[in-house]
Amino acid sequence: MGDERRSVDPAGLEPDSSADLEDAFDRISDAAYALNYELQSIAVNDRARVLFGRTDDDETTTVAASTIETIRSLFGDAHERALESQQPITVEQFHDTTGTWLEARCYPDETGVTVLVREITRRKEREQTLVDGNRRLRSIFQDAHDAILVSDDDGEIVAANPAASELLGLERSALSGRSLDEFVHDDMESVWTDLREQGRLCDSALLSRPDGTERIAEYNAVANVLPGSHLTIFRDVTDNRRRERQLERQRERLAALDHVNRVVREINDAIVDGSNRAQLERVACESLADSPSYEFAFIADVDTRSKQITHRVEAGIDDYVETIPLSTDADDPAGRGPAGTAIRTGTMQVSNDVFSDPSFEPWHEDAREHGYASAAAIPITHDDILYGVLGVTSARRNAFADEEQDVIGQLGDILGHAIAALERRRVLLGEELIELELVIDDAVEIFDGPSMSGHSVWFDRVVRIDDEQYLEYGTTAAETFPVVETLVESVSHWDGVTVIDKSAGEVTFELTISEPPMIGVIDAYGGYVKSAAIEDGDYTTTVRFSTGTDVRDVVDEITAVYPGMRTVARRQVTPSRESIEQLQTRLAETLTDRQQVALETAYYGGYFEWPRHSSGQEVADAMGVTPATFHEHLRVALQKLITAILEEPTLLDQDQSDDP
C-alpha cells in the first residue's frame, strides 16, 4: 500500500486478481476501500461494509450504493485533496448514522486512492475529556480567588493567575520572569531546597509588594507538577489574621475586665470586712498583680506641701517607687509621665505603648527590665481630695483602652470613697480627735444678706445625703426665722428652708444645701461639723477630724474660699465611750414601764420586720391597749432610744494651740 499501490478497474481484473485483492483487504484489521482515479469504488472489505452500514449487498464483490454514498459524504473532500496533492491525508469525521467518530487515512497515487478507516470514538471521547478538563483547569486557574503561581527551578515565575497579580500588586505580564525572592521575606533558597526534597510544603509567609504594603499569605507548594515546574498556591489571610488579632485583643480585654471586676469585688469585700486603709490598699495592689492581665501594681503617697512621692504599698515588685525617678513637677521629665501628670490633673493617665511614648522616656529601661508595654496611673480621690496614686502595668500594648480604661479608672474613685469613709469612721469612733473652732467675722455681709444684729441661729447637725446634697438642722427664735428665710435667698448654696416644729417661741428647721464650700472641704477630709451658729452676723463652727488629718491643709482650703476666716482654738479631745451595758442602763432610767413594754413587744413580735410579722393592731391587742396608745408609747420610746445613741458623748478636752 502507500504511493506505490495502484487502483484497478474490477472490469479489467482477472477473477483470480480480484479474489486476491479481496483477500488482501480482508487481512487488514481496519476498514479499507480503494477508489480509482475517477474516485469510483473498486474494492471494499467486509469491515468497511459493516462500518459504513451494508444494506443491500448481493455479493461480496459488489459494493452497495448506500455504502458508496456514505463513503463519499464522509470523506469525499479528503479523497479529492489527496489525489490533487498526491500526499497522504488523515481526516476525522463523525458518522451520524452510527453515532461514531471515524478516522480516514488516505494514500493517493496516480491511479487512485486507498483509504484505511478505523473507529476512534473512544479516543475522541478521551480527547474531549482532556479538552474539557483543560478548559476547567484554565477556568480554575483564571477564576480562582487564591493566587496561583508556576515557577521554574530557579524560582522565576513562568505563569500567574489574576489573583496572583492582585496579591503581589503587579500586572501578570510584569510578574513573568520575576523571582519569588522579590516578594517573599523568607529565605527562598532554603525554601526551594526543602520543597524539592520533600515534594510539598505548607506554611505562611509575609509578602512585600512594590508599593511598600505587606500581606500575610498561607501557601501550599508542590514540586514538579511538570518536570521543572513548581506550583504554589497563596491564600491572602491578612484580613483573617487581623480579625484573629482583634478577637484575641477582645478576649484579653474581656479577661482583663473580669480581673478588674474581681479586684473591685475584693476591695468591696475588704470594706465590708472592716479593713483599714492599709489593708484596702494592699488588697487592691495584690489583686491586680495576681491577675494574668497585669505585671505589678503600687500605691504611692503624695505630700501636698513638699510634693514628694513616697511608697505606700507594692505588689508584684519590690522597692519600685524608691528606685525610679518620680516627680510632680511638670518642668521635670520625671514629672511628665503618667504618675506625675495624674497627681497634677487629678485624672487617670495612661501610656498604651511606653516605648513609642516620648513622655515615658525616663522609664524605657525600667519597662524593658520589668517586661511591661503599657502603664496607667489612677489618682485616688474623693471630693477633690487626693489620697494617693495607683500605678498599674501590663505586658500588653493598648492594655488601658476603651472599657478596660473606664473600669480600672473606677478603682481610684472606689478606693478614694472607701478611704474617705474610713477617715470619717475614725473621726466618729476614734479615741482621740482634733477639734477646731473657726470664725468668719461678718459672714452674712459676705453674701449681702440681711442684718443679723441681735439675732442668733444654732445649727445642730449636718447630714450628708450624697456627694453634693446636705441637710442641716437648726433652731432659732420665732422672730428670727423670717430673717433666716431672707438669708436663704442670699446664700447661693442654700436651696431652701422648711419648718419642722414651731413651739415655745422657737422654730426648728431643715436647711437644704447644695455643694457647700466649707462643709464640703470638712467632709472631704473625713471630718464633721459638731456645731455651728450665726450670732450678730458672725459665723462660728466647731469641727472635728481624726488625729492623722493635716488640718493645715483643711484650713488653707477653707481660707481660699473665705479669706476672713480665722482659727480661734485647736484642741485634742477624747470622747468617753459608753458600753452597751451603760447604754441599756441609761435607757432603763429614761423609759417608763409601758414604753419599755411597747418597745420590747414590738421588737419580739416582728413589728420592725419587713414585711411585718405583726401589725400595730396585733401588738396593741397583745398589750391590751388601743392602737393609739401603743403608737404613742412606741414613738416616745424610739425617740429616747435614738437620742441615747446620737447624743454627743462627754469629751475630755485638751487645749493644744490656736495655731492651725
Side-chain angles (χ1 to χ4, degrees), residues 49-83:
R49 290 186 178 91
V50 172
L51 186 63
F52 296 120
R54 182 181 65 188
T55 59
D56 54 357
D57 295 11
D58 295 330
E59 298 179 3
T60 57
T61 58
T62 303
V63 182
S66 61
T67 300
I68 296 173
E69 182 59 32
T70 300
I71 290 173
R72 287 175 177 171
S73 66
L74 289 171
F75 305 118
D77 182 65
H79 300 157
E80 292 177 359
R81 287 190 290 114
L83 279 175

Side-chain angles (χ1 to χ4, degrees), residues 25 157 330 622 629 635:
F25 270 31
I157 299 170
T629 301
R635 185 166 53 252

Side-chain angles (χ1 to χ4, degrees), residues 293-295 371-374 393-397:
S293 300
Y294 306 107
E295 298 303 302
Y372 63 88
S374 300
T393 63
S394 174
R396 297 172 292 128
R397 291 176 59 242

Side-chain angles (χ1 to χ4, degrees), residues 283-302:
V283 165
C285 289
E286 289 180 348
S287 298
L288 287 167
D290 289 343
S291 163
S293 300
Y294 306 107
E295 298 303 302
F296 61 87
F298 66 86
I299 291 179
D301 205 355
V302 183

Side-chain angles (χ1 to χ4, degrees), residues 444 452 456-462 471-476 484 487-488 491 494 497 509-513 519 529-535 538-542:
V444 175
M452 296 290 290
S456 297
V457 181
W458 295 273
F459 300 98
D460 305 315
R461 177 72 69 178
V462 177
L471 296 177
E472 190 164 15
Y473 296 91
T475 57
T476 189
V484 173
L487 183 58
V488 168
V491 181
W494 285 12
V497 64
F509 60 86
E510 177 187 85
L511 184 63
T512 304
I513 309 174
I519 295 175
V529 177
K530 175 181 177 291
S531 62
I534 298 176
E535 296 183 281
D538 297 336
Y539 179 81
T540 304
T541 184
T542 301

Side-chain angles (χ1 to χ4, degrees), residues 419-432:
I419 293 170
L422 287 172
E423 293 296 325
R424 285 192 291 271
R425 187 169 180 269
R426 285 181 58 195
V427 172
L428 294 174
L429 301 179
E431 294 183 358
E432 291 187 347

